[in-house]
Structures are given as C-alpha cells and as structure tokens.
Amino acid sequence: MEKEELLQRVKTDNNDQLRTIGAMPVLVALSGGADSVALLRILLDMGCQCHAAHCNFNLRGEESNRDEQFVRGLCLKLHVPLTVKSFDVPAYQLHHGGSVEMACRDLRYAWFEEERLAQGCALIAVAHHADDQIETFYLNLMRGTGLRGLTGMKRLNGNVWRPLLGVIRNDLLDYLAGIGQNFVTDSTNAQNDFRRNRLRNIVLPVMRQQFPHASERTLGTMSNLSDDLDLITAVVMQLLPDERHIERDLLASHPQASTLLYHRIRHLGFNRDQCRQATAALSGNHSGRQFHAQSHVMHINRQSIDIEQVHEQEDIEIPIDLQGHISSPVNIQVSSNNAPFSPKMCDGKRKVAFNTSLLQCQRIILRHWRRGDRIKPFGLKGSKLVSDVFADLKLDQQAKRDIWIMEADGEILWILGYRAATHYSVDNESQDYLLLTLDTH
C-alpha cells in the first residue's frame, strides 16, 4: 500500500475521532518498535499535534535502555515533546500480584492517563493494528468467550484510541521503509514463552499458509459479529429497560431468559452462570438468594430481580493508633496496664482484649467488610468466612455495610460489636494486654 493510500485509509477509519480531537494534542504511546513508530509518523503526517510517552520497564537490561535512547533521539529529530517514566515491575507485582504482562499493562495505562491529563491531551493513541485484532480473536476463542470476546478491541475505548485497527502490519512496515524510518526490535517478541507469541510466531503463519485468505476472512467475521452484538444490545435494552429492577414477567416469557439477563447486566460484573442460577431461582420462587459481582449485588425477590451497587464504604481504610482512645469513625476506649486479666472482663463483642504485642504491627486499620474476608473466631478451630458469621447473626444488608472490622497486618482481629479473633490472645492473670471497649452510643 502506498503512503498516501495508507494515510487516507487511516483518516477515513478515524473521521469521528479526528473531529473530536480538533486542535488538541494526542498522547502517543511510543515504545520504539515498528508499530508505535509508524503510529507516531502517521499521526504527524495527518497533521495531528503529538506528545510522546515512553515506558521503561527495566526488564531487558541494556535493551530497555537502548529503546529509551532511540525514542529520545527520534522525538528530538521530529520535534515531538516526550515524557519518559521508569518502572519497578517486580515491586508492583509484590504488592498487587499477577503476571509480568498484566503488571506492565496496569502500570502503563494508569500512567498514560495521568500523563494525558497532565499534558492536556485529548486521547491516548496506541498502536494496535489489524494483526493484533486477529490474534485477540483466536486467543479469546481458545480461552472460551462470547460475542464480545470475538469482536476484538474497540477503536475508541474510553480515552484509549487505536487509529491503526484497519491496517495490517505489513502495510505499516512498507510505510516505514518508504519514508526511510528505522525502529528497534524487542528480542522477546521472538520468544515463545507467551501465548500471544506462540500464536503469532507458530500458529498463524501455518494457518495463513494453508488458508491464504484467513486474515481477511477473520476480520470480516469479527465485523459481522460486532454488528450482531450491536443489534442484540439494542434489543436487550428495549426488553429490559431498567437494569436495576427487572420484573419477573419480563423474563418469564423468553426461552433464553438467562442469556437475556446476562446481556443486560454483564457490564455490572455478573457472569453467565450467575444469570442462569438467578433466573432459575426466580422461576422457582426461591426468593432471598443473592449473587455478588465486584461492585454490585443481585437480589432475587418474589416478583423481580433487584440489583444494587456495593456500598462505597468497602474501600475505606482508616489507620488507627491503639496507644490511646479512638474517636473516629467509631468510639473505642483503649485501656492498658490493667489489673490481672480475667476472661470475665470481656464479652468478645463490644469489649475485647489483645496482647500488647499487637502494638508492634506495622498497620492497624478499621474498614468495612469485603467479600472473601475470613476470621479465626476466638474459641473455635480454624477460620470462618465473615459472611457466614453475618448469616449466623441474621444481619440484613444495611447492617453488614455499617459494621467496622479491625485488621492488623492483614489479619482480621475484631468484627466490632459481634466477634473477636483468636490472634494476640491474652493469658489468664496476665497484665500485658490492651482492653478495647466499643462505645455503641
């Protein structure tokens, strides 16, 4: 494809985004590889004002530094402003877990958004192209997915813009060769340690050899599925206009009730299996069941399914100092150097005692309940889900949200007002303890 033809293709594909951007700058994710260098040069050729952003993840030794120096030189030559950030990926993984790939992705996009705002850029331009779309299709197909997984990446997803989705990589390489622009190559792209690399380097070349039009046919299928998904979404919105309150009768008349429900509420985090169980519970008059997503909970009532957002208090963490009384967010009286300890001093609910070794903890906080929380209740063997404790106590949703939990270095010590844990227990007759009293007034 000739240069002018390529530029016209990209302009036509991105008319809406180019109109939105206007004269505002674009933050270009620039690794130094062929794809991102082509992206920068194409946007400049189309008259876009660009600000480049380069991530140095320090994972490939001198090669990482080489990439950074190349990007610096390229931006200097093209008179493009550049911001570079160095990351400590292992440190991030230590605190957040996940693979190297996911850690880099999280760090990269979080920083890009910060930089977009700092530089006053309209969008973040990344260099995903048509070959990436094809790889995404087959990766998701082999993992197991639905329509959305087979439609690939969106051209515009929030503030992330993918101008090159309609261009195959060979056309980008031809464009770079035509303008005499060099680039760097990431040596790990040739390694088959990652699934995407194995697909790219082994599977797809064989497929294209055996089926010469495989790429074009795959992209065509993805386009068809995207159209189908748009239609399904529109119909679902008409059938179930209120995602938070879904009447039983609206679902009962449809043979694919669970699929209908799934397409309406999947964006809230609910999966297909939960929707199957929810519609079965609704049709079987099993009211009272609940299904949890990350930020929402689905309640099965007699005549409807009701969905509410998980209370925002879940994310609140308040550091506390047990060297003195606590007045916020609740009142806790803290006493030390008391008379010899007796279990009669505590009720294990509003009044609890802990060994003073608790004060050596690095982080003691008050927070609200989170799904998956476990406690080792005093007097019982093993641990128990806090949600099961709540169920035993027959607490309603509002009561669960209002409860405060004391945590020390990751261990739950006290469900305030209800149950204490076995951690930092106090020996009988000991004088080395803290007595904590919750003031419920």
Side-chain angles (χ1 to χ4, degrees):
M1 185 182 295
E2 296 296 327
K3 173 182 174 180
E4 294 306 319
E5 183 183 357
L6 174 65
L7 294 178
Q8 187 57 50
R9 163 76 69 81
V10 176
K11 286 180 182 178
T12 301
D13 288 347
N14 295 277
N15 271 332
D16 292 342
Q17 290 75 36
L18 291 170
R19 279 197 298 269
T20 300
I21 292 166
M24 292 183 69
V26 176
L27 186 74
V28 181
L30 185 62
S31 68
D35 302 342
S36 67
V37 172
L39 171 66
L40 176 63
R41 294 301 305 261
I42 288 170
L43 291 177
L44 291 173
D45 279 344
M46 292 194 309
C48 294
Q49 182 183 347
C50 297
H51 185 111
H54 176 75
C55 301
N56 188 339
F57 293 112
N58 300 290
L59 294 173
R60 293 177 287 119
E62 284 304 313
E63 192 173 286
S64 293
N65 297 328
R66 176 211 64 182
D67 293 354
E68 179 181 328
Q69 292 308 310
F70 172 82
V71 166
R72 289 185 183 277
L74 177 64
C75 289
L76 185 64
K77 176 183 175 182
L78 298 176
H79 306 290
V80 173
L82 169 69
T83 309
V84 175
K85 187 173 180 64
S86 180
F87 293 94
D88 186 343
V89 177
Y92 180 87
Q93 287 180 281
L94 185 64
H95 289 90
H96 298 86
S99 66
V100 171
E101 279 182 301
M102 289 306 299
C104 290
R105 185 187 186 283
D106 292 345
L107 289 167
R108 177 167 60 245
Y109 281 105
W111 178 61
F112 286 161
E113 177 60 16
E114 292 175 8
E115 194 63 17
R116 182 189 73 84
L117 295 172
Q119 301 300 332
C121 295
L123 297 172
I124 302 162
V126 295
H128 295 124
H129 46 71
D131 293 49
D132 294 319
Q133 281 284 62
I134 295 168
E135 291 169 10
T136 299
F137 175 89
Y138 286 108
L139 281 172
N140 288 342
L141 180 66
M142 289 182 284
R143 290 186 184 118
T145 187
L147 272 179
R148 283 175 177 80
L150 297 179
T151 56
M153 296 172 282
K154 295 181 181 295
R155 184 173 297 279
L156 185 64
N157 187 9
N159 294 318
V160 178
W161 178 31
R162 299 180 173 91
L164 305 180
L165 282 185
V167 183
I168 63 173
R169 191 168 194 268
N170 282 341
D171 286 341
L172 296 178
L173 294 175
D174 289 344
Y175 163 79
L176 291 174
I179 63 174
Q181 175 63 62
N182 63 334
F183 51 87
V184 293
T185 301
D186 183 342
S187 61
T188 63
N189 288 340
Q191 299 172 5
N192 294 321
D193 297 336
F194 302 110
R195 282 180 295 186
R196 185 176 288 271
N197 281 11
R198 291 196 293 273
L199 181 68
R200 177 185 301 157
N201 300 330
I202 301 172
V203 178
L204 290 180
V206 174
M207 183 182 296
R208 287 171 179 138
Q209 184 181 35
Q210 298 297 320
F211 303 95
H213 299 292
S215 294
E216 292 84 350
R217 298 291 187 267
T218 301
L219 290 171
T221 297
M222 295 178 74
S223 178
N224 293 338
L225 291 174
S226 182
D227 291 342
D228 292 343
L229 181 59
D230 289 343
L231 174 62
I232 289 171
T233 301
V235 171
V236 168
M237 294 286 285
Q238 290 180 344
L239 294 174
L240 303 179
D242 187 353
E243 67 182 23
R244 300 302 179 95
H245 178 76
I246 300 172
E247 295 289 345
R248 176 178 178 173
D249 292 345
L250 293 177
L251 289 174
S253 60
H254 290 273
Q256 296 295 329
S258 65
T259 303
L260 175 62
L261 177 63
Y262 169 72
H263 279 286
R264 188 63 181 92
I265 66 174
R266 67 168 299 280
H267 67 286
L268 301 177
F270 296 100
N271 59 43
R272 286 181 182 271
D273 188 55
Q274 289 175 316
C275 291
R276 292 189 190 100
Q277 293 185 53
T279 51
L282 186 65
S283 63
N285 293 318
H286 298 149
S287 61
R289 290 204 64 183
Q290 296 177 0
F291 300 91
H292 294 274
Q294 184 173 1
S295 59
H296 291 78
V297 60
M298 175 167 41
H299 301 279
I300 310 303
N301 301 315
R302 289 188 177 183
Q303 296 299 325
S304 66
I305 292 176
D306 293 291
I307 298 173
E308 64 176 344
Q309 189 167 7
V310 174
H311 205 279
E312 292 179 356
Q313 291 186 124
E314 268 197 30
D315 295 327
I316 296 174
E317 293 185 351
I318 301 176
I320 58 173
D321 183 358
L322 294 179
Q323 300 283 1
H325 299 319
I326 302 190
S327 58
S328 178
V330 290
N331 290 317
I332 301 175
Q333 300 296 316
V334 182
S335 303
S336 57
N337 299 320
N338 302 284
F341 178 75
S342 168
K344 294 181 179 179
M345 294 178 175
C346 306
D347 62 10
K349 298 177 181 179
R350 295 180 179 84
K351 184 173 289 189
V352 298
F354 298 105
N355 191 285
T356 54
S357 60
L358 172 62
L359 299 175
Q360 298 174 15
C361 289
Q362 297 295 311
R363 189 166 184 267
I364 305 175
I365 61 170
L366 290 177
R367 64 170 176 82
H368 290 285
W369 166 67
R370 297 168 184 161
R371 284 178 295 281
D373 276 345
R374 301 191 76 90
I375 186 173
K376 294 182 177 179
F378 189 84
L380 296 178
K381 291 183 178 180
S383 64
K384 188 171 185 176
L385 283 168
V386 173
S387 58
D388 289 342
V389 175
F390 290 164
D392 294 342
L393 295 168
K394 295 180 170 51
L395 300 178
D396 61 25
Q397 290 294 319
Q398 189 59 50
K400 295 176 186 178
R401 294 192 195 105
D402 292 341
I403 287 173
W404 288 94
I405 286 175
M406 181 182 292
E407 175 187 297
D409 288 351
E411 295 283 359
I412 292 178
L413 304 187
W414 185 17
I415 304 172
L416 274 65
Y418 294 94
R419 192 64 52 84
T422 189
H423 304 290
Y424 304 100
S425 60
V426 184
D427 295 331
N428 199 23
E429 299 296 322
S430 172
Q431 292 182 303
D432 189 23
Y433 64 95
L434 300 172
L435 190 64
L436 278 57
T437 304
L438 174 66
D439 182 358
T440 57
H441 302 292

